[in-house]
Amino acid sequence: SQTIHQWPATLVQPVGSPLSLECTVEGTSNPNLYWYRQAAGRGLQLLFYSVGIGQISSEVPQNLSASRPQDRQFILSSKKLLLSDSGFYLCAWTVPYPDTQYFGPGTRLTVL
Amino acid sequence: KQEVTQIPAALSVPEGENLVLNCSFTDSAIYNLQWFRQDPGKGLTSLLLIQSSQREQTSGRLNASLDKSSGRSTLYIAASQPGDSATYLCAVTPGDEFYFGTGTSLTVIP
């Protein structure tokens, strides 16, 4: 069966510090991968998605970036965090035909 | 751009009641629609997926319907239980991207 891992589960970082969140998927190959952010009391905001290694689509201009160095690994990064980057970050992947989306457990990021 | 709306934003019902959650979307050119459940501080759990060629899907006490031409979906929960308390989100996809509603927060009162 397929599983998705995200770490860390929680993170508290000072403003201006770097960020690296990692997501890995097991039990499948060539998945579509997604990064979402969920701010308090708000819906899911799609940040990035990837249909293959090295292929990244960005939905929202911001100080975040994403990379996909391996087929089942998706990394969300920032060089300098802002207060507005606080939120719940969710990684997801899609099972094709039909396109069913599954989510990881999420990372709670607090920027102070 | 696709917009997904969920009404009501919050709903409180006594245990045992049947209830309906609504989801509407502006662009009917979708590939499928998916309903999720989110418990506080947790990721999303997939409940049901309806492909664009289907009208409804059922899983246990849950039944989801889709009327693509009118841009609407409903999630019917029968005989609600306190354990059903959570936020319910719907999402539509035309392909690679998924568009989410802001969710309905459901509280089932024992």
Side-chain angles (χ1 to χ4, degrees):
Chain A
S1 64
Q2 304 94 348
T3 56
I4 183 168
H5 302 281
Q6 272 188 258
W7 63 89
T10 60
L11 191 60
V12 179
Q13 292 284 96
V15 169
S17 64
L19 173 73
S20 180
L21 301 181
E22 188 166 341
C23 169
T24 59
V25 181
E26 296 179 354
T28 187
S29 60
N30 197 31
N32 284 5
L33 296 172
Y34 302 78
W35 277 112
Y36 293 90
R37 178 170 60 201
Q38 189 175 38
R42 300 180 64 181
L44 269 70
Q45 178 187 30
L46 177 62
L47 302 175
F48 302 94
Y49 72 94
S50 171
V51 298
I53 296 175
Q55 301 178 60
I56 308 294
S57 296
S58 174
E59 292 297 305
V60 182
Q62 57 214 335
N63 68 320
L64 299 173
S65 63
S67 62
R68 185 170 177 174
Q70 300 180 39
D71 180 44
R72 291 170 288 176
Q73 184 184 31
F74 206 21
I75 298 173
L76 182 69
S77 304
S78 174
K79 293 181 179 179
K80 289 185 177 181
L81 284 168
L82 307 173
L83 286 174
S84 58
D85 291 325
S86 293
F88 192 44
Y89 287 81
L90 290 157
C91 180
W93 68 288
T94 302
V95 177
Y97 313 119
D99 288 352
T100 308
Q101 191 152 79
Y102 294 97
F103 283 79
T107 295
R108 174 74 58 190
L109 172 66
T110 303
V111 182
L112 302 174
Chain B
K1 184 178 178 180
Q2 178 75 266
E3 291 185 7
V4 182
T5 304
Q6 290 186 248
I7 296 174
L11 181 64
S12 184
V13 301
E15 182 178 2
E17 268 203 11
N18 303 325
L19 59 102
V20 175
L21 306 180
N22 298 293
C23 172
S24 61
F25 47 95
T26 55
D27 187 347
S28 62
I30 63 170
Y31 184 57
N32 61 34
L33 184 144
Q34 195 169 354
W35 281 94
F36 296 86
R37 167 187 173 137
Q38 185 177 29
D39 293 291
K42 304 293 185 182
L44 279 67
T45 299
S46 179
L47 296 174
L48 290 165
L49 178 137
I50 310 177
Q51 297 181 63
S52 60
S53 59
Q54 299 173 326
R55 297 283 292 182
E56 65 179 304
Q57 283 288 328
T58 298
S59 175
R61 294 182 294 109
L62 306 179
N63 176 276
S65 68
L66 174 63
D67 184 343
K68 201 172 75 163
S69 61
S70 68
R72 294 182 181 180
S73 175
T74 61
L75 178 66
Y76 174 82
I77 302 177
S80 59
Q81 303 172 358
D84 294 330
S85 297
T87 297
Y88 291 81
L89 298 97
C90 66
V92 297
T93 178
D96 291 331
E97 296 187 45
F98 287 75
Y99 298 91
F100 282 80
T102 52
T104 294
S105 177
L106 172 66
T107 301
V108 180
I109 304 167

